[in-house]
Amino acid sequence: MQDTTPKLTSRRKQKTSIAKSVGSRLFLSVLGGSLVGLGCASYLFYQELVKQARTELMASLEVNAQNLEGSFNSFENSAKLVAASATTLYEAGERREQVYVNLIGRSLKTIPLGTGLGFGQPPQKRLIIPERKYAYPFAIRENDGKVIAKGGESSPDDYKASYFIEPIKAGKPIWLEPISYLETTVEPPQQTVSTSYSLPFYNNKKELLGVLAQDLELGFLSVKLSQPVMRDKGYFALVSSKGNLIAYPPKPELALDLKPFPEINNYSQLWQRIQKNIQTGKKNSGIISWQDGSGKREYWAYRRIANNNWILLASVPQWVIFGPLLQFTVGGTLLAALGASIVLAIVVFLFVKRLNQRLQPIMDECNLLAEASPKSEELMSREDEIGQLTISFYNLLGQVTVNEKRLRKEMEKSAKAYQALKQAQAQLIQTEKMSGLGQLVAGIAHEINNPINFIYGNLPHASTYTQDLIRLLELYQQKYPHSDPEVSELTEEIELDFLIADLQKMLSSMSIGANRIREIVLSLRNFSRFDEAEMKDVNIHEGIDSTLLILQNRFKATPTHSAIEVVKDYGNLPLVECYAGQLNQVFMNIISNAIDALEKARCKATEEEEEESFTPTITIRTELKNPDSGSSQPRVVITIKDNGCGIPPENQSKLFDPFFTTKPVGKGTGLGLSICYQIVVERHKGELSYVSEVGKGTEFLIEIPVYQTKPISKIF
């Protein structure tokens, strides 16, 4: 009895110590881990919210930038249209000053943003209005919206001004820096601040006809940008490429005074950073954190306007972005931590209590075994509860290990099957997309074909009728030279001579346009091949020409880049048995990739100032490859070569892999060449290969049999 009592007391103390040690340590460890995880999650959540706020700031800036670019594009197009009209009048033989004054006046009425419009011809070579040395027809919009158009002699100093000299020197349209001047053509004269879009225009012989300038009043831009940036806070500012304020809604008078932006607060270094980022970073937009002269932290977002290289700025206080996010994150983290602590304490308490109830009998038995004999390892082999528990544990461990290996193998198989399913799904979607596109193109071509044939068929009759009416009118003028005054007045009002000359040109242009539409419709039908889903004998050259016609817009020259030259070296090919629509899809993908490579090479040549020596070229060559022996059949070889940037060696081995692309997100899916390979190799039993060298270009070779289902026979 004396030996038993102390042992029972010891077991009770051990039971209490187990509950305390396991519970407290488990609670503290799990709570610490939960708090660390919660803190990391809160930090990541906070960073994501900050990122979204910065994205919201850039989105607000982008919307206003696109609105400005849209307004500037309309402004530029209207000026180009006036210059084109003046050139057309000159080519038609018009030399009367009043006609051009009327053109300028009518044009300004249709341009809501313009405050002034006019053009001047070179005094030394007067082609449009030879009778005046300093002719400068112009129109101006007064404060009440009324447009006044005038002609006559201008000041010789006007032809030394920047709006006349700089466009000629540049040889292209330019936006001028805003200036402040006294407008004397209105009553009373008033001080005006505006900028101008000036462009030189030429005749068919590339001789300078004049320089047209269209004024934009800066007050319009300040009103357009007078809105908060985000969350009813912040403001926008528009700065010229030289740093002068163009629009500044917080203090519009600074923009009207042409105050330099770097002289406001301490924005000189801010402006230098923005300029450096745009020039060296090759980025047109971004966000900079800044501290103004009073010590307030701000976020400045910037975006370059493509039309005139002006910079649109958006400023918001830092607390607008960080303040609400920080309060929300800290408050949410504290509440989550408090709730997690309470729930965790309850769960740990119940878990430890239940665990102690289950483990205590086993621990008591182990203590008894340890007190009975020091050879516990031998006792573990006995067929009692402890031995059975140990054996069961190791059996379970072995089963878990085997099942883990089996599960890993099944997961690897599932991953491969999922990848194959994903690839098949993507190719199926692409095939369905091209099928839908073919139906759409064929339907549009069919719907356009009937009305364009009607127009094209009636144009010769309309031209004949017009010539008959003109001959009748001329005969009437010869027989009755002294017409009624009312008839003479109407003749002058409608400008009969110009109307007759322009009507003939108009009918000719309509005939050319209708013929062009017929060619495009035919190319669309040839490209879609909607009615040729099965294998048929087709002319490969027609498919290539249709593809080139559809992509013709991308071959044209732009104001900054020269045109892409297409060289066609067609051989004498027979009709080829193939899936015409699918093969056209191959031509489309490869030629589109060649155009992308040439555009990238042109941009690089422009940066290195070597664009004049670089001529972007795509060469398409076809030939018939006769069999070497009687066991094979003739094959058609189509070669598409460009002199673009080439394919880097590290990418060449992955070129035909699904989903592999080097284009930015949203520009390519990585399925184009993969599907081309499937169409050429699997569907047509051909070969698709390439040769590429960085800096010299890429050449794709498509080789397919002339026949797919027909027996081998001679072609000619």
mmCIF file of all heavy atoms in Angstrom, residues 398 554 566 573:
data_model
loop_
_atom_site.group_PDB
_atom_site.id
_atom_site.type_symbol
_atom_site.label_atom_id
_atom_site.label_comp_id
_atom_site.label_asym_id
_atom_site.label_seq_id
_atom_site.Cartn_x
_atom_site.Cartn_y
_atom_site.Cartn_z
ATOM 1 N N GLY A 398 3.831 2.041 -44.121
ATOM 2 C CA GLY A 398 4.185 1.413 -45.387
ATOM 3 C C GLY A 398 3.122 1.626 -46.452
ATOM 4 O O GLY A 398 3.421 1.914 -47.614
ATOM 5 N N ARG A 554 -1.423 46.705 -94.321
ATOM 6 C CA ARG A 554 -0.226 46.666 -93.476
ATOM 7 C C ARG A 554 1.054 46.846 -94.293
ATOM 8 O O ARG A 554 2.127 47.021 -93.715
ATOM 9 C CB ARG A 554 -0.164 45.355 -92.700
ATOM 10 C CG ARG A 554 -1.343 45.136 -91.756
ATOM 11 C CD ARG A 554 -1.123 43.945 -90.860
ATOM 12 N NE ARG A 554 0.016 44.137 -89.979
ATOM 13 C CZ ARG A 554 0.487 43.187 -89.176
ATOM 14 N NH1 ARG A 554 -0.087 41.991 -89.147
ATOM 15 N NH2 ARG A 554 1.533 43.422 -88.408
ATOM 16 N N VAL A 566 6.722 43.896 -101.647
ATOM 17 C CA VAL A 566 6.392 42.483 -101.836
ATOM 18 C C VAL A 566 6.904 42.050 -103.208
ATOM 19 O O VAL A 566 6.514 42.621 -104.233
ATOM 20 C CB VAL A 566 4.881 42.232 -101.726
ATOM 21 C CG1 VAL A 566 4.582 40.762 -101.965
ATOM 22 C CG2 VAL A 566 4.368 42.667 -100.363
ATOM 23 N N LEU A 573 3.001 26.391 -111.909
ATOM 24 C CA LEU A 573 2.470 25.343 -111.043
ATOM 25 C C LEU A 573 1.193 24.767 -111.623
ATOM 26 O O LEU A 573 0.374 25.498 -112.206
ATOM 27 C CB LEU A 573 2.186 25.891 -109.638
ATOM 28 C CG LEU A 573 3.347 26.494 -108.855
ATOM 29 C CD1 LEU A 573 2.868 26.918 -107.474
ATOM 30 C CD2 LEU A 573 4.482 25.499 -108.737
#
